[in-house]
Amino acid sequence: MLKILKGLVFFLITTGYIYAQDDFDCIYDKTTAKTNQQKLPGALKTADSLYRSSQDPLHKMKSLMLTAHLYQQQGDFKKAIYYAENADLLVNKVNDPDLASRITEFLARQYRLVGLRERSKKYINKGFETAKKIQDLKRYNETLGILNQELAHCEMELENYPIAVKYLEISLDFFKKAGTMGEEVVTAASYRLLGDVYFKHNNYIVSENYYKKAEALVKEESCLLGWIYNGLGGIRLKQKLWKEAETYLSKAEDIAEKYNHLDLKKMVYANINDYYEGIEDADNASVYAVKYVKVYEQINAKNNAFINGKLNTDPENNRNGEISIAKNIAIVILCIALGGLFIFFRSKQKKQRSKFRTIIRSQQKLTDKETKEIEESEFSNISVEEVDDKEKEIGKKRTESLMTPETEAKLLEFLNDFEKGNLYNNKNMSLPFLSGELNTNTKYLSYVINQHKSSDFKTYINRLRINYIVDKLMNDDKYRQYKISILAEECGFSSHSKFASVFKAVTDLSPSAYIKLLEAENQSDKVVHFQENN
């Protein structure tokens, strides 16, 4: 009888309307408590009921953020951001800067995780403004610590490590002022990030010290603990202490699998691949190479699906629509959606691999011939780097030749010889520079490039550079171990970002993804080695 009564009370809570302040707070607190994956559907129903029953904007905001956090636990970025954005729309109706700051922190983090860095920074800046209104000194310092931590994340993704360290040190100062050794998780997160930074600088002693500090503060199993174990395992790999590396990486893998955290899985699989390669276990190394590529593709698919999708902006209609659908129809739709998603991802994966193999075949054909004009269509979508010219290009396609046929033929011969070398990788390359090298003038050179290479000077140079580096990556193993910044410098680009944007425009892949797929493609001949933590 008691069980029946409990079930009835839960049903009334999750399906009916809740009006009392005490009831709201009680149910909200219970639902906010740690919820495992099995209990998420029930928690989402409770959050939905809280929202529908709430008349107070403050209650609506809390309900929306509760739903956002629950979807975050599921790894559904789109819905998590959707509900948080709608909570943010109610901020001006409620005088609660503490809750408003938590919303901006949440949105900044979620947008960073899906790769929308500028939108993340927008909410970080909004968070700094909101924090000025927080009267509680402890909460004020906590907020500034978390926001500086987010700035550090952004700088680390851009490989601006000294700036990232500065933000992390500022975050720890704020946590200390707030007395947040009681808020161990946020402090541990800053220590873990410092461990990551010093690891990338090969300072393994300092890196391990920060990882250990972070580990000491984390009292319960969590994804943060998984990141810490992965970092410690990475250090042991570098030190070739295989047994200790295996212990840490096994713990990290268990956590990554339990929480199904894709980014953590990706990093752990990369390290485990390195571990098996280090102990010369080729079979298991290949298994984790394949696991890595699959998770990498899952992350890309998920981020692309979010970026290309549109967020609904009407929470009331959306919720009422969900509630009105009968359960049996929902099950059918879910099955169809899952089937469609499976087909979509498989199709996308096949297309990406097909594109990859086409690039390799094309490059192989190019290396078999002394000269071959590259089809313009392959580069029609390149956003070419601005090569540093002090003068504007004068040469454009013209209907009449500027020179004698003999001069034109000789200059074309010079260009063909130029393509066989690698002078085009010179950082000082410009139209006047090359004209001087070929002992001609800019008008003649620009004309010949336009007429015979079907492009302007800048596109022509970038085209040669990308084909040069693709050839090196395909035929010289050591190039696959280089950092992207070194590859960019090798082929004459002035920055990592410009090189990456041109490379991705050509191949539909970032340089790092291209390297990993190239190695995975060759894994039957050679064990794949991923340089995730270099």
Side-chain angles (χ1 to χ4, degrees):
M1 184 67 180
L2 183 59
K3 289 183 178 178
I4 295 173
L5 286 173
K6 285 182 177 179
L8 180 60
V9 169
F10 181 78
F11 174 79
L12 291 172
I13 287 173
T14 56
T15 59
Y17 287 84
I18 305 159
Y19 294 96
Q21 168 74 33
D22 292 341
D23 288 344
F24 180 93
D25 291 339
C26 179
I27 296 166
Y28 177 87
D29 290 341
K30 286 182 179 179
T31 312
T32 306
K34 187 176 180 181
T35 306
N36 60 35
Q37 292 292 325
Q38 288 73 28
K39 293 181 180 179
L40 277 173
L44 284 167
K45 287 182 181 179
T46 302
D48 178 77
S49 180
L50 286 171
Y51 176 83
R52 289 185 291 111
S53 66
S54 300
Q55 304 301 316
D56 183 354
L58 176 61
H59 286 177
K60 285 185 177 292
M61 284 173 66
K62 286 185 174 182
S63 303
L64 288 167
M65 285 307 298
L66 175 57
T67 305
H69 280 289
L70 292 171
Y71 276 119
Q72 179 198 29
Q73 284 183 254
Q74 284 187 335
D76 192 332
F77 294 123
K78 185 172 182 179
K79 288 185 178 178
I81 290 175
Y82 159 62
Y83 285 105
E85 286 276 17
N86 281 290
D88 190 53
L89 293 174
L90 297 174
V91 164
N92 292 332
K93 296 182 179 180
V94 177
N95 183 23
D96 191 336
D98 182 11
L99 179 57
S101 68
R102 294 182 190 275
I103 294 171
T104 56
E105 290 167 14
F106 181 88
L107 285 167
R109 181 171 185 270
Q110 299 308 305
Y111 275 120
R112 172 176 58 78
L113 290 174
V114 298
L116 297 179
R117 196 176 298 112
E118 290 305 314
R119 195 156 180 83
S120 174
K121 285 187 175 180
K122 167 193 167 184
Y123 280 101
I124 292 172
N125 292 331
K126 185 175 181 179
F128 279 117
E129 290 300 315
T130 304
K132 295 175 182 177
K133 302 174 185 177
I134 298 175
Q135 295 182 352
D136 182 271
L137 189 59
K138 180 177 185 295
R139 176 57 192 152
Y140 169 78
N141 284 307
E142 286 176 3
T143 300
L144 294 185
I146 291 170
L147 292 172
N148 276 284
Q149 198 178 84
E150 277 301 317
L151 286 173
H153 269 293
C154 292
E155 295 302 328
M156 287 178 69
E157 289 174 6
L158 294 171
E159 298 186 7
N160 296 329
Y161 297 122
I163 300 175
V165 169
K166 182 186 74 173
Y167 284 129
L168 289 170
E169 289 173 346
I170 292 172
S171 76
L172 288 169
D173 285 342
F174 279 117
F175 293 146
K176 186 176 181 180
K177 289 177 184 176
T180 43
M181 285 305 168
E183 290 288 344
E184 292 93 346
V185 174
V186 289
T187 305
S190 286
Y191 283 142
R192 171 243 152 174
L193 290 174
L194 283 166
D196 288 350
V197 170
Y198 284 101
F199 182 96
K200 289 183 180 295
H201 284 286
N202 302 320
N203 192 337
Y204 302 130
I205 295 174
V206 175
S207 176
E208 181 173 356
N209 181 46
Y210 280 119
Y211 284 139
K212 289 291 187 181
K213 281 185 176 182
E215 183 184 14
L217 291 173
V218 181
K219 305 301 182 185
E220 296 181 354
E221 183 182 86
S222 63
C223 287
L224 175 57
L225 191 59
W227 285 111
I228 295 167
Y229 287 148
N230 183 65
L232 289 167
I235 291 173
R236 295 297 179 261
L237 286 177
K238 296 296 183 183
Q239 296 168 337
K240 297 185 178 180
L241 300 174
W242 307 118
K243 191 63 181 175
E244 290 183 43
E246 181 187 20
T247 301
Y248 280 124
L249 294 176
S250 178
K251 290 180 180 179
E253 183 181 19
D254 288 343
I255 293 173
E257 297 286 356
K258 180 177 179 179
Y259 291 94
N260 195 29
H261 194 295
L262 294 182
D263 286 319
L264 179 56
K265 279 184 177 182
K266 180 168 77 85
M267 298 296 286
V268 172
Y269 291 160
N271 268 342
I272 295 177
N273 170 267
D274 288 354
Y275 164 74
Y276 281 118
E277 183 180 283
I279 64 172
E280 298 182 353
D281 184 341
D283 291 338
N284 276 317
S286 295
V287 168
Y288 278 92
V290 172
K291 282 188 173 186
Y292 176 93
V293 172
K294 286 182 179 178
V295 171
Y296 181 89
E297 290 173 346
Q298 277 183 277
I299 293 171
N300 272 355
K302 206 164 191 178
N303 289 350
N304 290 338
F306 171 79
I307 293 169
N308 295 330
K310 293 182 179 180
L311 294 176
N312 190 340
T313 56
D314 188 350
E316 192 71 55
N317 290 341
N318 183 67
R319 289 174 178 270
N320 291 338
E322 290 175 354
I323 295 165
S324 66
I325 298 174
K327 287 185 178 180
N328 58 334
I329 297 176
I331 292 170
V332 173
I333 292 174
L334 180 60
C335 292
I336 294 171
L338 288 173
L341 282 173
F342 177 78
I343 294 170
F344 169 75
F345 288 136
R346 291 292 295 173
S347 173
K348 185 169 183 179
Q349 181 180 348
K350 287 179 181 178
K351 287 180 180 177
Q352 192 178 49
R353 288 189 174 276
S354 175
K355 170 75 173 177
F356 174 75
R357 292 191 181 101
T358 299
I359 292 168
I360 291 179
R361 286 195 296 270
S362 298
Q363 194 63 25
Q364 286 171 336
K365 289 177 182 177
L366 284 173
T367 56
D368 290 339
K369 298 180 180 181
E370 286 189 354
T371 57
K372 178 176 176 66
E373 185 172 346
I374 304 160
E375 292 180 0
E376 185 67 22
S377 60
E378 274 193 19
F379 299 91
S380 61
N381 61 342
I382 298 179
S383 176
V384 292
E385 176 190 8
E386 287 293 329
V387 181
D388 186 19
D389 290 333
K390 294 182 179 179
E391 302 176 14
K392 293 183 178 179
E393 290 188 45
I394 305 170
K396 297 181 180 178
K397 289 186 178 180
R398 307 179 184 209
T399 56
E400 297 180 0
S401 178
L402 298 174
M403 65 202 84
T404 65
E406 292 77 12
T407 302
E408 187 171 344
K410 190 65 176 175
L411 189 50
L412 182 58
E413 183 182 339
F414 286 160
L415 273 181
N416 290 334
D417 290 338
F418 165 71
E419 291 171 8
K420 295 174 187 176
N422 58 14
L423 182 62
Y424 44 78
N425 292 330
N426 191 309
K427 284 189 176 181
N428 296 320
M429 180 55 59
S430 64
L431 187 62
F433 178 88
L434 185 55
S435 298
E437 289 292 320
L438 300 182
N439 197 25
T440 185
N441 61 56
T442 56
K443 288 184 179 180
Y444 282 10
L445 179 58
S446 183
Y447 173 81
V448 171
I449 290 173
N450 274 279
Q451 288 291 87
H452 296 280
K453 303 300 178 181
S454 302
S455 67
D456 59 28
F457 177 76
K458 294 164 188 163
T459 304
Y460 172 64
I461 294 298
N462 278 340
R463 191 165 60 192
L464 292 172
R465 288 174 171 179
I466 292 298
N467 274 276
Y468 168 85
I469 210 66
V470 165
D471 177 70
K472 289 293 185 184
L473 289 171
M474 188 177 70
N475 296 305
D476 192 338
D477 289 352
K478 70 179 182 182
Y479 275 79
R480 300 175 205 163
Q481 313 306 320
Y482 290 163
K483 292 183 178 180
I484 304 305
S485 57
I486 295 176
L487 294 178
E489 186 175 357
E490 170 76 12
C491 61
F493 284 85
S494 59
S495 73
H496 173 133
S497 59
K498 288 180 180 179
F499 166 70
S501 64
V502 175
F503 193 101
K504 189 168 185 177
V506 177
T507 65
D508 288 336
L509 295 165
S510 66
S512 58
Y514 181 88
I515 292 168
K516 291 174 179 61
L517 282 177
L518 184 61
E519 292 190 334
E521 200 68 21
N522 294 331
Q523 64 181 284
S524 59
D525 299 321
K526 183 178 179 180
V527 176
V528 185
H529 179 77
F530 294 120
Q531 293 289 331
E532 273 296 327
N533 290 304
N534 285 353

